[in-house]
Amino acid sequence: MRPAVGLLALLSHWRRHPFQLAMLLVGLSLATALWSGVQAINAEARASYDRAANVLGLDGLPRLTMVDGSAVPLARYGDLRRAGWPVSPVIEGPLPGSDLRLIGIDLLTLPTEARLMDPAALDLQGFVAVGGEVLVPAGAAARLRLPDQPRLRETADLPPGIALADIAQAERILAAPGLSYLLLSRDAALPADLPADLVLARPAAGEDIARLTDSFHLNLTAFGLLSFAVGLFIVYSTIGLAFEQRRGVFRTLRALGLSAAALTGLLLAELLLLSPAAGVIGVGLGYLVAAVLLPDVAATLRGLYGAEVPGTLGFRPAWWLGGLAISVAGTLMAAAQSLWRLWHLPLLATAQPRAWAHQAASGVRWQAGVGAGLLALACGLGLWGVGLWAGFGLLAALLLGAALILPLILHALTFCAGRLARGVLAQWFWADTRQQLPGLSLALMALMLALSANVGVGTMVGSFRLTFTGWLDQRLASELYVTARSAEEAAELTAWLAPRTTVILPIWSAETMIEGQPAEVYGMTDHATYRDNWPILLGAAEMWDRLAAGQAVLLNEQLYRRGGLALGDLVDLPGGALPVAGVYSDYGNPRPQVIVATDLLVARFPDIPRLRFALRVDPAQSAALAQEMRAVFDLPEAAVLDNTRVKAMSLQVFERTFAVTGALNVLTLSVAGVAIFASLMTLSGMRVVQLAPVWALGLTKGRLAALDFARTLVLAVLTLVIALPLGLVLAWALLAVVNVAAFGWRLPMAVFPADWLALAGFTLLAASLAALGPWRRLARMAPANLLRVFSHAR
Amino acid sequence: MLLLASGLTKTYRTGDELVRVLDGVDLTLKAGESLALTGESGSGKSTLLHLVAGLDSPDAGRLVVAGTDMVQATDVQRAALRRDAVGLVFQQFNLIPSLDIAANMAFQARLAGRLDLGWLEELVQALGLQGLIHRYPEQLSGGQQQRVAIGRALAGRPRLVLADEPTGNLDEATGDAVMALLLQLVAQAGAGLLMVTHSPRLAARLDRRVHLAAGRLHTVEPLA
């Protein structure tokens, strides 16, 4: 037999079952869409990190700073160069009036590893000339208003958030008192011992943005994988059904001379024809998903890690090809079992369609055994696992284990319900529900995964929101926050404010290296505002007094956990180490932070800008005072903020940060809804055989259809009931294991029963929509279709 | 009269063609009487049986079963008739696969709300199903499944038993045994029996025999 003839015979199945074909394409497209959407986002972000790494490659190089944390004097740099030190000067600081960070470099001495951008794209003369141009990211020039506006040139080669200038130009713009640091080549040989006034900092592994954000991208990938798996459930069940329905055709083709290998090959060819088509649709949908979600992802990365990613999506051929490949691979994965069974199908095997997804009781028990093993593994990882990978291993084992064990639990529940039922219809209802489980279990597993992910992530975000709101109230205890434009203005402001406020609290900070990581050091003035409100997690005796006396420091939770520090441990700071007296929560900040007394900060970092202040005033007067301050000093709107506005802004950033998670949650739930719909529609053909005898024995079609509808709802609700505790365990794993490893903070867990009710409503709605089609089909079925069941010619 | 049919017609569409399967059928059946309905394949035997059972509705004519006018009856009334007054035995057995044998046998009687446990036990004994009542249909042979189907049809003491080729899927010896049981138990229950069969030998064991050909019924005189 010519293979093409066989292939046409096989393909004719899809012509006669267009709905099945549609479900196959829908399942595969959705699976590919969510997977490739997430991959597109990750690819865009990583490309952005790569560009940043070219600039921030500076961060990857060793650097010399002054021991006391002050700026490096220009003369000191000259001395070192003359002594043969291969150092290159850098001035770095926030570009006034913008959200950009200006980096000033000396192109002539810059180490080759820190080549910032394509030299061809750099106009050397324009860059190094006196008053040379400042390079800014595309789209940034229009927003910039600098004093003595320098020439700005936009370039796509710079990452977002970075501006670049010659060191002389940067010194002028930033009014820098000296050099920020001196760069060294990665493997540079030092000509002499390190002078006593300098300190050499080698960047620790894992400090760059790409590494920091790995956990976030892993999170997204895990969601993408979950959605992909949920989509593949649809593909698996559709292919399984199509194979089962064609057993007669397979037998005939084999009898007519097609070998098992040739038949398997033809089915493989059929799948390879269909899957790229679905892949193209899926990748297109994925692009749309990514384009919609990317701005929120960019906000998340900025909010959590300070990483800058553009909010628009580029075109990447590798990603398109990758999407198609995953579509084909997913199809082959979903079809592997069916192909394997076909390969081993005896020629004379029965061609009678049987319950395609029927699994022997031993199969369900074996599956549940594997599930129990995975749950035990999850327990082990929860109790003894350490680090991010242990956290993700825990999540994977938990979800997969619970999914595998679900059919057995549902079987047991429906069995018990049947035993408790009194009426004949109720008994039949539960027995029949149990009989439907093998055919529906894949879709129900998909639903459970989606629901538990929803509960887990929802609980995590809700707990975070609750903690974050309370934390903001503590951190933003002062009524007003003001930022001066210069030291002179700061002095005038404080003098003017002194009689109008209860207290003026400086918010001054310096940047330095602590425990090998770039960190912030903040000064804190001894005042009840902090003693009463600061969100302390751990505190030693007389913590505030020791802090005020300059005898101890406070650490943020991130530094405390990542550094493995304890109360009383010494923390190295420029000018001498100090013991840890307390730990405070510092959500949303990616960087390590230390708090010292303001006097100590000024003593050890004498060159820090002293421009920001928190003001305690009568809350009823704060708005009027802010307005008056702006008017008297001609301050821009953003220079004076009241705490309610800062809180609102922070919460807005928070909500945006988790919008992407919410969107992926809803998409995954929707795919699970489609999976149930696909399963019910494919099963409804087989249901006729099971329902016709009951109809013949005296039940109306309407009543049967209503019972079938109720069955879907009952199974969905049972699945939700099982998914709830699973979701809470998931939330615990996210809060207590994954978040701690990924972000460095641990949040208290809160539960939100109102959200569960909403989720129950959504589940019932999704199940109702999925069951509506089969319900209508059965309720309106012509008697002739039911009578075929009793026909002799079957 | 348990069953009264006159001038019954039924037409099916096959492709573009309309096929008149029943063309003015007249039929009566008294309580306690048994009637064999024979005919070629495709002659409309099963269609007639389905109309009598209320599984389908006629295009024209008059059909009264156990006092219910089947032409005027609603879907709910037809379902009630099947549940309360009719016992059905199919060639393919059509047991409910999710229920065990005991539940299958009691199903229709319980639906009708008149399960008589003593009568059910009698049926189990008579049908030789004592050791099988906790098994599921898939665990039984064809002959055993058909005995369960007969038990289910009779458990509610229906006034009319309708059997469609009840031994068509069984070997001759098993078929004879099942047939004997069916006739014995129908007589014991005092029900009427309308049975579709291909077999003249089986038909001969019933009180009367009618033959369906070209959409019309013809009475067949008993041999000798």
Side-chain angles (χ1 to χ4, degrees), chain A residues 409-467:
Chain A
I409 296 176
L410 288 175
H411 193 274
L413 286 175
T414 48
F415 181 79
C416 291
R419 292 297 288 267
L420 292 173
R422 284 288 155 259
V424 61
L425 264 186
Q427 284 171 354
W428 169 74
F429 176 85
W430 289 112
D432 189 58
T433 302
R434 201 161 62 246
Q435 197 191 26
Q436 303 314 310
L437 284 177
L440 281 172
S441 61
L442 276 172
L444 292 172
M445 283 181 202
L447 179 66
M448 190 194 67
L449 289 180
L451 287 174
S452 54
N454 198 296
V455 171
V457 175
T459 304
M460 182 195 74
V461 174
S463 300
F464 198 174
R465 185 184 289 110
L466 211 62
T467 312

Side-chain angles (χ1 to χ4, degrees), chain B residues 49 87-91 93 146 149-150 153 161-166 182:
Chain B
L49 197 82
L88 283 161
V89 183
F90 302 103
Q91 181 182 353
F93 327 131
Q146 195 58 299
I150 290 170
V161 174
L162 301 172
D164 193 355
E165 296 273 11
L182 177 64

